[in-house]
Amino acid sequence: MFISEGALVAVFRAVEGDDIDSVFYKGADIPWDERLRYAQLVMHLALSVSDYPHEVGCAALLSRNLLVFRSTGRIAVNYAVLPIEGMNARELVFLLGDQIEKILLKRFSSADAEIEFVQALKSGAYKSVPPLYSFWMEAQKEIKAQYERIYKKSALTRSLYLVFLNIRRWFRRTFRRNAPKKRKGAKA
């Protein structure tokens, strides 16, 4: 870091690697435990950049700047970023949500706790990263426990369990969507 013409200048080493979109895509064969590890890395990164000016923190979470190194199991940020004007803590949460949703992409074998976490993330209930990170730390334990229960089963039992789990999810979605709406002021 140095000061040049009255401005603080930070210089970072250029990093090259695969951006997050080219690693985490629909159909990518990445095991659940690796997905959880990368989600933790991105959540921790977001917590770190939440102290930066929002224009820089948000730019760091753009897909083209998040680089994944599967060979070493790490994520890096290419800090050759152009600050994005008009950003705030809420925008940082939305960008984080987009990245986490790519990593914890809903799959046939997804744990219920994982789907619930992503839905809570997309709900807009979190206004900044620290409370979201706290929620993640608790949710992560339940997600891991559910996956361990699923993968402890034999292949046939696991397949049947996942079929019934997805049928149950389908019924929940269908009946919630088709349930009659209560009118304001209507008596039960």
Side-chain angles (χ1 to χ4, degrees):
M1 285 193 207
F2 57 92
I3 296 185
S4 174
E5 297 179 17
L8 177 65
V9 178
V11 179
F12 297 90
R13 181 176 293 151
V15 181
E16 290 185 20
D18 296 327
D19 67 41
I20 196 166
D21 289 347
S22 64
V23 176
F24 294 99
Y25 54 89
K26 191 171 187 159
D29 187 26
I30 301 172
W32 69 268
D33 52 343
E34 193 174 339
R35 287 179 181 275
L36 276 182
R37 192 169 56 253
Y38 281 112
Q40 172 60 32
L41 291 171
V42 171
M43 291 295 290
H44 186 74
L45 173 71
L47 185 63
S48 299
V49 301
S50 67
D51 288 339
Y52 292 6
H54 297 303
E55 294 83 1
V56 174
C58 288
L61 287 181
L62 293 176
S63 295
R64 68 177 175 265
N65 295 324
L66 278 177
L67 307 176
V68 178
F69 300 94
R70 286 192 70 193
S71 60
T72 58
R74 67 185 187 91
I75 286 186
V77 175
N78 183 9
Y79 278 106
V81 298
L82 293 174
I84 305 172
E85 303 240 353
M87 293 291 109
N88 56 39
R90 192 152 173 120
E91 291 296 327
L92 186 65
V93 170
F94 287 138
L95 282 166
L96 172 60
D98 290 344
Q99 302 306 344
I100 293 295
E101 192 174 0
K102 290 174 195 170
I103 297 170
L104 302 179
L105 184 66
K106 186 176 176 185
R107 301 167 316 282
F108 182 76
S109 61
S110 292
D112 280 341
E114 182 180 28
I115 293 170
E116 290 167 10
F117 173 77
V118 172
Q119 287 173 341
L121 185 60
K122 289 171 37 176
S123 73
Y126 295 93
K127 311 277 189 261
S128 65
V129 174
L132 176 59
Y133 187 82
S134 179
F135 175 61
W136 162 252
M137 293 307 289
E138 290 303 313
Q140 181 185 22
K141 293 173 191 171
E142 181 59 28
I143 293 168
K144 184 177 181 182
Q146 284 184 8
Y147 271 119
E148 286 172 347
R149 283 193 300 271
I150 290 170
Y151 282 90
K152 194 181 284 184
K153 301 174 186 311
S154 68
L156 178 61
T157 308
R158 181 174 52 245
S159 297
L160 290 171
Y161 174 79
L162 290 171
V163 166
F164 287 115
L165 182 67
N166 280 282
I167 290 171
R168 188 178 75 198
R169 288 177 188 157
W170 179 82
F171 272 109
R172 271 196 239 145
R173 276 192 320 268
T174 302
F175 289 113
R176 252 191 245 147
R177 194 178 314 136
N178 295 334
K181 306 276 191 241
K182 269 191 166 181
R183 291 186 314 174
K184 263 188 175 174
K187 294 184 181 182

